[in-house]
Amino acid sequence: MSDVRGAGRRGYRVRRVAAGSGAVAAAVLLALPLAGVPPFGIGPAQGTRTPAAPISPVVWAGTLKPPIVTRAQWGADPKLLDQKPHYADSVRAVVIHHTGHPNGYDCADSPALVREVYQAHAVNKEWGDIGYNFLVDTCGTIYEGRLGGADRAVIGAHTVGLNTGTTGIAAIGTFTAGTPVPEPMRRSIEKLIAWKLALAQADPVATTHLLSRNSDSRFTKNTTVTMPAVFGHIDAYETNCPGDALMQLLPALRKGAARLQGDAKLLAHEKDRRSRRQADGAG
């Protein structure tokens, strides 16, 4: 299921200035300093503060990063790896999956379940590595999937045709209609969505444009398609994944992730304001 192997010209009307308007302009320029407004070409009046620069997304996005169990920690066997990482320019969308495991497992067994997926994808399906970028268990623990760096735009093998520019998050379990999605799992998925999309300044409730790279998907190869920033595997490929329960949850996941992004931005701006106040007080 991998594709790794990947305004018209605006016119500005010039108005003719009536004779004698030069004197009017001169009078305006003379009056500006008296009103406390600097003339054109001169900086802010003394005592005024320069507006704060926009907070870098790197700053506020970094605060969203959740704890992630690394490949080394869950026991990824390097001998099974037969795939070098490939990268997109950015992650513009998140694809939600489920692994198909029976529910009710003990979370202590989650690393073993992740290793099962690794074996199935890397060896049985001959993808050379695990297809998903992340996996989340019922207790909300997040596991790093495909090799290449959790904070980078690693191209996975999770949805035919639309792997590039997306990240795949798999819920460990089976989430057919009526199956409850555990709250810890839901919250962790929201955090992952918020963080990964924030790195590219992408809005979880918006749409994005993706290039289909394989006609085996729902879209003809080399066509640009408009997709939600968070969508289910079934939206891109003929499959039942991620199950009706998770599909019904997508609107809430989008809103939850957007709320987390908004909170992170507000906190970053508040921290920046405090720092500026402290700097002004020390000056």
Side-chain angles (χ1 to χ4, degrees), residues 3-72:
D3 63 293
V4 171
R5 302 250 201 220
R9 182 177 179 181
R10 179 179 297 174
Y12 292 92
R13 293 185 299 169
V14 179
R15 300 177 61 186
R16 294 186 179 276
V17 181
S21 61
V24 175
V28 171
L29 288 173
L30 288 172
L32 286 174
L34 298 176
V37 180
F40 305 114
I42 300 178
Q46 188 175 4
T48 61
R49 295 182 59 186
T50 303
I55 299 295
S56 166
V58 175
V59 174
W60 64 267
T63 66
L64 289 166
K65 184 176 182 178
I68 299 172
V69 178
T70 67
R71 290 169 62 93

Side-chain angles (χ1 to χ4, degrees), residues 53-160:
I55 299 295
S56 166
V58 175
V59 174
W60 64 267
T63 66
L64 289 166
K65 184 176 182 178
I68 299 172
V69 178
T70 67
R71 290 169 62 93
Q73 290 171 329
W74 59 256
D77 186 352
K79 295 179 181 178
L80 302 183
L81 185 66
D82 186 26
Q83 173 71 47
K84 293 181 179 180
H86 296 261
Y87 300 94
D89 293 335
S90 63
V91 169
R92 301 185 300 280
V94 173
V95 188
I96 303 300
H97 304 260
H98 66 178
T99 63
H101 285 94
N103 299 323
Y105 55 86
D106 191 316
C107 288
D109 296 328
S110 294
L113 299 179
V114 175
R115 290 193 294 271
E116 284 183 9
V117 177
Y118 180 40
Q119 170 78 30
H121 289 188
V123 179
N124 300 353
K125 294 182 179 292
E126 299 182 346
W127 293 349
D129 194 2
I130 194 167
Y132 309 124
N133 298 97
F134 302 95
L135 301 93
V136 183
D137 72 7
T138 190
C139 292
T141 304
I142 301 170
Y143 295 86
E144 177 186 12
R146 200 167 187 83
L147 181 70
D151 59 341
R152 301 186 65 184
V154 180
I155 299 175
H158 56 92
T159 183
V160 171

